[in-house]
Amino acid sequence: MDKKEDLLKEVISHAKEYGYVFPSSEIYDGLAATYDYGQLGAELKNNIKNYWWKAMVQMHEEIVGIDAAIFMHPKTWKASGHVDAFNDPLIDNKDSKKRYRADVLVEEHIEKYRDKIKKDVAKGLKKFGESFDETQFLATNPNVKRSQEKIDLLESRLKNILETDDLTALKAFIEELNIVCPISGTANWTDVRQFNLMFSTELGSVAGDAATIYLRPETAQGIFVNFLNVQKTGRMKIPFGIAQIGKAFRNEIVARQFIFRMREFEQMEMQYFVRPGEELKWYAYWKEKRTKWHKALGLGDAYYRHHDHVKLAHYANAAADIEFDFPMGFKELEGIHSRTDFDLRKHEELSGKKLQFFDPELNKSYIPYVIETSIGLDRMFLAVLSASLKKEVLEDGSERTVLSIPPALAPYKVAVMPLTKKDGLPDKARAIINELKFSFQCQYDEKDSIGKRYRRQDAIGTPFHVTVDHQTLEDNTVTIRDRDTMQQERVSISDLHKIIDEKVSLNNLLRHGG
RNA sequence: GCGGGCGUAGCUCAGGGGUAGAGCAUCACCUUGCCAAGGUGAGGGUCGUGAGUUCGAAUCUCAUCGCCCGCUCCA
């Protein structure tokens, strides 16, 4: 465990040291759980986006991409369920220091009465044997009736309290029911506090005129509200998908673990619209497809595992996570959800617009079912970074730090360096860069010993290192060093482009993971 | 929010009432020339912030702020 924590620390400090990720607003002592992507981080992030976008949009003629606004009509969040489902009343037990959802505590309390009824039924069954009529028993047995009345009463009171958002009453209710913490066994509770998971802000510059709107907590809704626009203008036929990359905002109660859980984060989502009844087929299809996309990167299959949800969100009828072995252990990297027709149906209800597709084969209209693939870009970034960071012990016993980022994602593709900064070698190196820069992100470095420069490039993850030496001036050959094997090869300058392109091009990735 | 840890140079840290230190990094020059380790020199810190004690505080006291870790939510 300690080892794992240290690993995350190493990733964080490496990320900072080499310009991948900086703590946000650092000169003002930082802002909790907010990070800025630096000069190399921005490149890596863009490359990841690119790989995703091309694999999803470019490789699928039935998928198109959009870029919806972060601001959306407030009704959107009413429809999606975020307004109701993501306002959690929380309460802490002062003795055990554990935090609970206050409404869940009450529900669990109510559950006890349900268990009691079950026990009574079991008793009844035992007593009456084969002649036992459960329906009649439930309706007539005085114990059961008493329990049921209690359940009904408590449930309606809870509903009432939740609907009025009366936090004081909720705490009083918990105290009245003598609910205790399962850990400490005490009823020493803090006040109930509301945690709104959505960030609100004001739209409209004149005070008083302003309407409260939210920063989107997920990008998916931008796709759903545009379902009809895209379907009609793109003449899309089911099944088809809409992809989007964009920021989303969640006021997490606790945002932590570096860029794994941030309040401002970026999602890469695709909603795939299918015929009702065919959703589980497509769900399986996308689960496999997305897994392939990940594994094509070559970080190692052992880093991935599936986690199928047993407990499903309010909108889903099947859900699985692709989990990644982060420095903190296996955690969710991507979610594949079968969202049914929940979202479109709700939007249809609240907007009054018909969000359906006329299927000529079936000769009828229906609200499509949706399969969602949703990956956290920042998490993907962390996955790539943490799996790539290695400390190697070389044959001679010395150590090297290498960032073996998949070449297609690496910020710099090639470093070109003169062996010495004399005899015109720098000019020659510059000349090579001036050709390569049209295809690749290049870096020039002439400072320090050549060995030191190699190690610097290893540390930032540049896959190829080209060195110009005196022989270069005679026959136009250079040495090219492979970051991972440290092997060098002497090649002609005119072959450089081909050699590098073969390895850093997205094409190969897309062939295997697209 | 609660509990724990930590704030001294870009990084890692030492120092513990008497005017700020090391290693690495950075920059310049010299040297070397294919795997981070040569030499010389330079720049860089109101010791997180504020108050108190003291002749004197980076050091002691109090407060405050920030960051990190854990706990319930999620991509």
Side-chain angles (χ1 to χ4, degrees):
Chain A
M1 194 64 205
D2 279 352
K3 226 176 181 177
K4 286 262 183 186
E5 269 171 26
D6 288 350
L7 194 57
L8 182 61
K9 273 188 184 160
E10 268 173 37
V11 171
I12 294 169
S13 66
H14 193 88
K16 188 184 168 195
E17 186 175 355
Y18 291 96
Y20 274 93
V21 182
F22 305 123
S24 167
S25 320
E26 203 187 2
I27 61 168
Y28 291 110
D29 289 328
L31 184 65
T34 311
Y35 293 90
D36 298 336
Y37 288 88
Q39 64 276 18
L40 295 189
E43 295 287 345
L44 173 55
K45 206 174 166 195
N46 278 335
N47 292 342
I48 293 173
K49 282 190 205 179
N50 216 257
Y51 174 39
W52 184 87
W53 189 268
K54 290 197 165 177
M56 300 303 276
V57 178
Q58 187 173 319
M59 303 302 287
H60 294 93
E61 60 180 274
E62 85 283 17
I63 298 178
V64 293
I66 65 166
D67 185 4
I70 287 171
F71 294 156
M72 298 186 72
H73 193 284
K75 275 192 181 174
T76 310
W77 308 114
K78 192 85 190 147
S80 69
H82 284 82
V83 172
D84 301 320
F86 288 86
N87 288 338
D88 300 336
L90 299 182
I91 191 166
D92 295 342
N93 183 274
K94 290 178 188 166
D95 299 314
S96 66
K97 309 292 180 201
K98 291 285 168 190
R99 167 165 296 169
Y100 301 92
R101 291 235 331 237
D103 54 330
V104 171
L105 279 179
V106 176
E107 272 161 17
E108 280 170 357
H109 180 81
I110 295 173
E111 202 57 35
K112 285 180 189 159
Y113 290 100
R114 292 218 170 82
D115 289 343
K116 213 172 152 201
I117 292 180
K118 274 185 204 150
K119 274 183 199 154
D120 286 335
V121 169
K123 264 193 230 159
L125 183 63
K126 214 171 174 183
K127 195 170 162 191
F128 295 107
E130 279 179 14
S131 64
F132 182 67
D133 180 343
E134 190 173 330
T135 321
Q136 195 194 345
F137 183 80
L138 286 176
T140 55
N141 180 285
N143 283 337
V144 170
K145 273 171 79 179
R146 213 176 306 122
S147 295
Q148 191 57 48
E149 275 164 21
K150 189 88 185 170
I151 291 170
D152 293 345
L153 176 71
L154 294 178
E155 276 192 332
S156 83
R157 282 185 61 189
L158 177 63
K159 198 172 160 226
N160 204 350
I161 288 170
L162 291 179
E163 271 171 5
T164 53
D165 275 337
D166 190 340
L167 301 181
T168 319
L170 188 51
K171 186 189 180 184
F173 197 30
I174 287 172
E175 284 173 340
E176 180 196 321
L177 295 175
N178 271 321
I179 296 176
V180 297
C181 166
I183 308 286
S184 68
T186 69
N188 189 9
W189 300 106
T190 63
D191 285 342
V192 178
R193 283 165 312 222
Q194 186 89 24
F195 283 83
N196 297 318
L197 260 73
M198 284 195 289
F199 282 89
S200 60
T201 186
E202 308 231 305
L203 189 67
S205 49
V206 184
D209 260 5
T212 298
I213 58 163
Y214 299 101
L215 304 186
R216 66 181 177 200
E218 62 174 19
T219 51
Q221 299 305 326
I223 293 176
F224 292 131
V225 300
N226 278 298
F227 164 75
L228 217 49
N229 283 337
V230 173
Q231 191 273 317
K232 284 190 168 162
T233 58
R235 299 183 296 122
M236 310 304 286
K237 288 185 186 61
I238 276 188
F240 75 95
I242 304 178
Q244 177 171 220
I245 298 175
K247 291 239 170 157
F249 304 83
R250 280 183 204 175
N251 216 347
E252 303 291 347
I253 300 156
V254 175
R256 241 169 241 169
Q257 284 169 326
F258 194 39
I259 55 174
F260 183 81
R261 183 177 288 116
M262 295 190 289
R263 297 194 168 94
E264 173 180 343
F265 60 104
E266 200 155 1
Q267 294 182 305
M268 304 192 287
E269 292 197 322
M270 192 275 297
Q271 309 292 334
Y272 204 70
F273 301 93
V274 305
R275 224 180 242 175
E278 293 186 356
E279 68 271 17
L280 292 179
K281 178 182 98 184
W282 288 110
Y283 166 75
Y285 171 86
W286 279 108
K287 192 170 147 187
E288 200 209 318
K289 194 100 178 157
R290 294 300 306 148
T291 304
K292 265 174 82 180
W293 181 89
H294 285 284
K295 292 188 174 172
L297 284 172
L299 296 173
D301 289 2
Y303 276 106
Y304 305 91
R305 75 176 186 201
H306 285 144
H307 173 244
D308 295 309
H309 289 208
V310 184
K311 220 174 106 191
L312 296 168
H314 60 283
Y315 50 75
N317 71 358
D321 296 335
I322 297 173
E323 294 187 334
F324 189 84
D325 193 5
F326 287 99
M328 319 77 77
F330 273 99
K331 301 261 185 184
E332 177 175 6
L333 170 60
E334 171 157 6
I336 322 289
H337 291 202
S338 174
R339 289 181 79 126
T340 68
D341 61 353
F342 176 87
D343 297 276
L344 288 179
R345 186 174 290 285
K346 293 289 282 187
H347 283 304
E348 199 172 67
E349 264 172 42
L350 269 90
S351 68
K353 304 286 190 304
K354 198 174 169 192
L355 300 178
Q356 304 196 1
F357 173 77
F358 178 77
D359 192 325
E361 273 180 52
L362 301 178
N363 196 30
K364 67 169 190 181
S365 291
Y366 53 78
I367 299 176
Y369 271 48
V370 172
I371 305 301
E372 168 188 273
T373 72
S374 173
I375 171 172
L377 174 53
D378 310 278
R379 288 183 178 186
M380 187 61 200
F381 185 101
L382 182 59
V384 170
L385 203 63
S386 60
S388 298
L389 182 60
K390 289 164 192 157
K391 281 212 158 61
E392 292 180 351
V393 179
L394 304 179
E395 282 174 15
D396 63 359
S398 65
E399 267 190 24
R400 79 157 180 160
T401 300
V402 58
L403 205 55
S404 55
I405 297 180
L409 301 183
Y412 287 107
K413 306 304 186 198
V414 56
V416 182
M417 316 183 274
L419 186 59
T420 80
K421 42 185 161 176
K422 291 184 299 199
D423 307 328
L425 299 185
D427 290 344
K428 189 71 184 170
R430 296 270 190 204
I432 292 172
I433 286 184
N434 280 334
E435 274 310 308
L436 293 179
K437 74 180 177 189
F438 291 98
S439 306
F440 314 112
Q441 184 84 315
C442 304
Q443 193 169 63
Y444 176 82
D445 192 1
E446 61 173 29
K447 180 106 172 71
D448 297 313
S449 73
I450 189 69
K452 213 166 183 175
R453 282 180 271 164
Y454 287 148
R455 298 303 178 83
R456 245 195 320 257
Q457 294 302 327
D458 289 342
I460 66 173
T462 309
F464 289 110
H465 318 130
V466 167
T467 302
V468 172
D469 56 20
H470 291 87
Q471 190 184 332
T472 309
L473 302 178
E474 290 160 22
D475 62 5
N476 273 317
T477 61
V478 291
T479 59
I480 182 164
R481 173 183 181 268
D482 182 287
R483 173 196 67 197
D484 301 326
T485 63
M486 295 170 69
Q487 295 298 309
Q488 281 179 296
E489 207 186 329
R490 183 162 277 277
V491 303
S492 172
I493 291 175
S494 54
D495 291 337
L496 277 178
H497 188 283
K498 187 170 163 272
I499 294 170
I500 297 166
D501 190 61
E502 217 163 83
K503 209 163 168 192
V504 307
S505 157
L506 267 179
N507 287 13
N508 291 327
L509 270 187
L510 293 173
R511 274 179 211 288
H512 295 105

